[in-house]
Amino acid sequence: MPPRARLLAAAGYLPADVVTNDELAARHGLDTSDAWIAERTGIRQRHFAAPGETASAMGAEAARRALALAGVPGEEVDLVIVATSTPDSAFPATAARIHAAIGATRGFAFDLAAACTGFIYALGVADSLLRTGAARCALVIGTEVYSRILDWTDRSTCVLFGDGAGAVLLRAESPDGPGILSTHLHADGRQADILTVDGGAGSTGGTGVVRMQGREVFRHAVTKLAAVVDEALAANGFTHADVSWLVPHQANLRIIEGMGRKLHLPPERVVVTVDRHANTSAASIPLALAEAWADGRIRPGDLVLMEAIGGGLTWGAAIARM
Ligand code: UT7
């Protein structure tokens, strides 16, 4: 039997600058209000990276914290996957910079682009590589500086996002032990234009800014997340009653609460950070997982269900035994 990818530790990093809804509106002269943002999204504040603070710097800090929690030296890591839409540069991969920053010298490192689903995609790819023996010890990192790709004149998008990083350390261990049970990844490129960055190195030569048809994305989120969660449970012979924790992508509290109700989970079994972090895209799930694991909510033996949807469209789910 192939090994199972065990989650050894998770850790996050949030930049120091905390910006409330009112402060954001004042900074950018936005025609919005704390009441609108909080009611429609659940967001109350977000963290923004300092000038010069990069995706690799934040991701490396989250990775170092995860390694320290697990007591694993960086040299043991032989796979680094970074999910990001805001890499330091087109190349080298942000993952290569983090590979060096943690003191890894073996194995391989690459970035993966699946927008807000990036962490679930990266977890799925890492799980496959650990199962086949291509790697033994993996860091899966989501790290984002969306503050650099927002249009500050578009109140319908710029109030939604924040910066941060989260890292999960995985090791190939016993096939019967805890770890990733399954991952379920999907894409529909026909919906590419409803959530997109309107530029890039290979098209405009610039970075572009986030453009979103919010209502359309919301509609897809509700149906596609419900379907992928059912798919993940069915693949493992579970029902909603088996789920200990829902750790969802943090885009909108209304979507998160809707998924909790679908799974018949009481609100205290759904991990929520969107109020404090806003949408940190690929970093949101590892940040939420790290928080709930660190404060003792998530315990050994718990069944954790993770799900996300984002640009692509991409969406997916993962189930792990802790
Ligand atoms: O992370 C990737 C996945 N992303 C998501 O899952 C996001 C999914 N979408 C959403 O979360 C929601 O669609 C939003 C939070 C983005 C928007 O909420 P909504 O309830 O769908 O609002 P809306 O776009 O339908 O806009 C309602 C009204 C509009 O005014 P009119 O046309 O009704 O007069 C907007 O112009 O709210 C207005 N509006 C704002 N008002 C104050 C839009 N943004 C703002 C704002 N402040 N920041």
Side-chain angles (χ1 to χ4, degrees):
M1 278 230 282
R4 183 167 278 167
R6 180 176 187 168
L7 286 78
L8 299 183
Y13 171 83
L14 290 159
D17 185 21
V18 179
V19 182
T20 65
N21 292 338
D22 284 336
E23 284 164 2
L24 186 77
R27 264 190 208 186
H28 297 285
L30 297 170
D31 177 17
T32 188
S33 65
D34 175 55
W36 190 95
I37 300 169
E39 185 193 317
R40 298 291 175 120
T41 70
I43 296 165
R44 300 243 168 227
Q45 63 173 47
R46 73 284 293 138
H47 294 243
F48 284 145
E53 194 168 35
T54 57
S56 68
M58 296 196 302
E61 185 52 32
R64 279 190 289 265
R65 291 177 184 180
L67 289 164
L69 277 172
V72 170
E75 307 92 76
E76 209 179 298
V77 173
D78 58 3
L79 170 62
V80 179
I81 308 180
V82 170
T84 187
S85 304
T86 49
D88 296 12
S89 52
F91 68 85
T94 300
R97 296 208 182 275
I98 296 176
H99 187 262
I102 60 162
T105 52
R106 302 183 296 120
F108 53 115
F110 61 94
D111 290 358
L112 179 155
C116 296
T117 320
F119 178 76
I120 299 287
Y121 265 54
L123 206 58
V125 174
D127 181 45
S128 299
L129 292 169
L130 291 170
R131 280 176 193 269
T132 62
R136 284 202 44 80
C137 186
L139 269 168
V140 173
I141 300 163
T143 180
E144 302 281 18
V145 273
Y146 265 55
S147 59
R148 305 221 168 95
I149 56 164
L150 294 174
D151 174 357
W152 297 109
T153 66
D154 177 8
R155 66 177 183 175
S156 70
T157 54
C158 73
V159 302
L160 303 175
F161 296 93
D163 301 336
V168 172
L169 183 67
L170 302 128
R171 194 162 58 197
E173 292 198 358
S174 161
D176 308 317
I180 307 286
L181 302 183
S182 66
T183 61
H184 306 268
L185 310 181
H186 296 278
D188 182 357
R190 293 168 301 180
Q191 307 298 334
D193 293 333
I194 66 171
L195 177 48
T196 182
V197 173
D198 65 1
S203 54
T204 60
T207 48
V209 289
V210 175
R211 302 285 176 214
M212 176 163 74
Q213 296 172 31
R215 242 177 271 185
E216 265 304 283
V217 176
F218 195 100
R219 202 173 57 77
H220 282 284
V222 171
T223 53
K224 290 184 163 56
L225 291 175
V228 78
V229 159
D230 283 343
E231 177 189 337
L233 292 176
N236 293 281
F238 292 139
T239 71
H240 59 78
D242 296 302
V243 177
S244 314
W245 295 99
L246 176 65
V247 184
H249 170 51
Q250 310 280 324
N252 188 312
L253 189 59
R254 288 185 286 152
I255 298 172
I256 293 170
E257 288 177 343
M259 289 304 295
R261 281 194 297 276
K262 180 194 151 45
L263 290 163
H264 304 277
L265 284 173
E268 61 273 16
R269 289 272 154 187
V270 180
V271 180
V272 174
T273 57
V274 71
D275 52 332
R276 289 158 292 128
H277 302 175
N279 182 347
T280 57
S281 192
S284 88
I285 292 177
L287 273 165
L289 182 71
E291 183 177 286
W293 200 351
D295 68 21
R297 273 179 285 170
I298 294 178
R299 302 175 65 84
D302 281 354
L303 194 71
V304 172
L305 175 57
M306 297 167 265
E307 41 82 344
I309 185 165
L313 282 180
T314 54
W315 66 101
I319 290 197
R321 180 75 70 190
M322 302 300 286

